[in-house]
Amino acid sequence: MFLDFLFPNRCLNCNSIIDAENLVCEACTDQIHFTHHIFGEENELEKRCRLLFPVENAYALMQFGEESLSRKIVHDLKYKSREKVGKILAEWTAKRLDFKNEKPDLLVSVPLHPKKLKERGYNQLHLFTETLSEHFEIPYDHTLIKRNFYKKAQALKDKAHRSATEKLFSISKPVQNQHVLLIDDVFTTGNTMSSVAWEILKEGNNKVSVLVMAVD
């Protein structure tokens, strides 16, 4: 309580003092560009994923604009040691996401390389995934996917380069007959998501859907 008095929580956008469990004030919440995607219906993210791999459904919470508030929020989560931002984003997602009859069997987040994980101290997707797991009563597995390389090429832009990223990830255990929901923070080119998806799809009779915090 004393520390809260000395160092009050402030809105990420306007710097006004807000409740300790919030990210932005009520006024600035209106400036977040939520996508209003409907899981199970065609949307921008689903169409982009389908160009790269067979996807069942796709959902993005926010739009990731150049100077957008969503970019500030994700940046705080990834680079400013504010792991709790993931929990808040998951709560926002849970209020807006309805799986209907397409509820996945398993939640899997894109992993960090162990060296990157040690540098950052946490995987920005874990608390997000665990919060959604509890809300929707879907199990999660943080160890199913392994990232094999510390760095990856940033210039991979299309399907012609997919072979260059095929070994970026690998499966650590058998997985079959599962509808897997792949979770990542931001969807940009889609190469990372595609690399993970193909590893799961080639394992057996699996299906893949996608959930991201934001789509660029």
Side-chain angles (χ1 to χ4, degrees), residues 2-162:
F2 183 67
L3 288 177
D4 290 341
F5 178 76
L6 289 178
F7 306 102
N9 188 37
R10 294 183 178 274
C11 173
L12 196 59
N13 193 47
C14 70
N15 209 39
S16 60
I17 296 176
I18 56 175
D19 185 84
E21 298 304 313
N22 291 334
L23 290 177
V24 295
C25 66
E26 187 174 343
C28 289
T29 300
D30 293 335
Q31 298 183 36
I32 299 173
H33 297 151
F34 293 107
T35 65
H36 306 295
H37 286 171
I38 297 176
F39 196 85
E41 295 186 8
E42 186 178 80
N43 57 56
E44 173 198 356
L45 178 60
E46 186 266 346
K47 288 188 287 186
R48 289 172 62 182
C49 287
R50 198 168 294 282
L51 294 173
L52 300 170
F53 59 91
V55 66
E56 295 297 312
N57 300 293
Y59 180 91
L61 176 65
M62 305 177 291
Q63 295 284 351
F64 198 68
E66 184 70 27
E67 301 294 333
S68 67
L69 182 50
S70 62
R71 182 179 289 267
K72 291 181 182 179
I73 291 170
V74 175
H75 189 275
D76 252 41
L77 169 63
K78 294 179 69 173
Y79 305 117
K80 295 191 176 180
S81 301
R82 295 190 65 186
E83 187 178 7
K84 73 171 188 177
V85 172
K87 184 175 189 299
I88 296 172
L89 289 175
E91 290 168 350
W92 289 358
T93 302
K95 290 178 182 178
R96 294 167 171 82
L97 175 59
D98 183 357
F99 288 122
K100 299 180 181 178
N101 297 322
E102 301 289 336
K103 186 175 178 179
D105 301 310
L106 182 66
L107 307 183
V108 174
S109 56
V110 174
L112 296 176
H113 187 273
K115 184 176 180 181
K116 175 64 73 174
L117 182 61
K118 185 176 181 180
E119 291 173 355
R120 186 171 294 169
Y122 62 95
N123 183 315
Q124 72 275 11
L125 300 173
H126 282 183
L127 187 55
F128 179 81
T129 301
E130 291 159 16
T131 304
L132 290 177
S133 171
E134 182 178 0
H135 178 84
F136 290 110
E137 298 182 332
I138 303 172
Y140 66 86
D141 191 335
H142 291 326
T143 65
L144 178 64
I145 304 296
K146 176 185 175 183
R147 185 185 286 263
N148 298 319
F149 305 107
Y150 178 59
K151 293 183 178 180
K152 70 181 184 68
Q154 298 298 314
L156 304 179
K157 298 297 184 181
D158 54 50
K159 289 187 292 184
H161 296 288
R162 194 172 70 210

Side-chain angles (χ1 to χ4, degrees), residues 164-176:
T165 60
E166 281 182 347
K167 302 303 180 182
L168 180 60
F169 298 96
S170 58
I171 300 288
S172 65
K173 67 189 78 170
V175 55
Q176 292 187 337

